[in-house]
């Protein structure tokens, strides 16, 4: 009887250790923030990531954005009313260019944006390019002219 108790306790301990080990291994591959695209880094909280890339998110973007963060890059997509997108552009000190005649090739040719995040830019929309260059981070964004605007942002460390 004693052997059964010791054997049963040993099995329980081994199963618990295996379960904890599995959680530790999966911790870096599991999305803990529903706004994050799969594969986003979990070394920092979302607020720390946005601060590191000098990105401010207005309240109007709550529930309207997705992002992917790595140590050197940030991808961010916001779908919101025009006033919210304009507020984001202004608060993040992004300069604005003239409207583009077609979907920006920079976004459509970016394999990560196109393949991993399914960023599709309909050709019939007019896009405006936005940019901010600073000492450590370069930021490029594009907005469309739809009623529910989309903003696509890529920031990277130089």
């Amino acid at each position: 009887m004693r052997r059964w108790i010791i054997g049963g306790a040993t099995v329980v301990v081994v199963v618990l250790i295996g379960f904890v080990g599995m959680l530790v291994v999966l911790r870096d591959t599991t999305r803990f923030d529903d706004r994050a695209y799969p594969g986003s880094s979990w070394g920092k909280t979302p607020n720390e990531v946005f601060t590191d890339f000098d990105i401010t998110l207005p309240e109007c973007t709550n529930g309207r954005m997705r992002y992917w963060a790595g140590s050197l890059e940030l991808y961010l997509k916001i779908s919101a009313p025009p006033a919210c997108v304009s507020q984001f552009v202004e608060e993040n000190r992004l300069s604005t260019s003239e409207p583009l005649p077609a979907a920006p090739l920079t976004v459509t040719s970016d394999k990560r944006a196109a393949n991993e995040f399914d960023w599709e830019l309909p050709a019939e929309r007019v896009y405006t390019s936005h940019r901010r260059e600073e000492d450590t981070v370069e930021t490029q964004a594009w907005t469309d002219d739809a009623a529910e605007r989309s903003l696509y942002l890529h920031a990277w460390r130089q």
Side-chain angles (χ1 to χ4, degrees):
M1 178 73 148
R2 187 175 184 172
R3 286 184 187 166
W4 285 99
I5 293 172
I6 292 172
T10 302
V11 168
V12 168
V13 168
V14 168
V15 168
L16 283 174
I17 289 172
F19 181 70
V20 169
M22 183 179 69
L23 288 177
V24 168
V25 168
L26 292 177
R27 183 178 143 254
D28 290 333
T29 61
T30 305
R31 293 184 327 152
F32 292 103
D33 183 353
D34 289 339
R35 301 171 302 175
Y37 289 109
S40 188
S41 173
W42 291 108
K44 297 179 180 181
T45 67
N47 288 339
E48 289 172 327
V49 168
F50 299 133
T51 299
D52 280 353
F53 285 94
D54 195 20
I55 298 295
T56 302
L57 295 173
E59 265 189 52
C60 61
T61 61
N62 289 346
R64 298 176 172 274
M65 68 95 165
R66 300 282 314 270
Y67 71 94
W68 181 93
S71 60
L72 300 175
E73 288 183 286
L74 171 69
Y75 287 85
L76 174 71
K77 180 183 178 189
I78 296 172
S79 295
C84 181
V85 172
S86 295
Q87 182 181 355
F88 178 90
V89 168
E90 184 180 319
E91 286 185 16
N92 287 286
R93 306 172 320 280
L94 299 173
S95 63
T96 302
S97 73
E98 293 297 316
L100 305 170
L105 290 175
T106 312
V107 178
T108 55
S109 65
D110 185 319
K111 289 184 184 347
R112 174 171 278 154
N115 298 335
E116 293 181 35
F117 314 142
D118 293 327
W119 285 8
E120 294 180 18
L121 283 71
E124 68 275 3
R125 293 186 183 164
V126 174
Y127 294 88
T128 302
S129 177
H130 308 275
R131 188 174 191 84
R132 181 182 70 206
E133 292 181 50
E134 295 184 349
D135 291 340
T136 58
V137 177
E138 187 166 338
T139 305
Q140 263 188 315
W142 300 267
T143 55
D144 63 21
D145 65 345
E148 179 80 359
R149 283 218 175 126
S150 293
L151 176 136
Y152 304 88
L153 180 139
H154 181 208
W156 62 94
R157 297 200 184 285
Q158 296 185 39

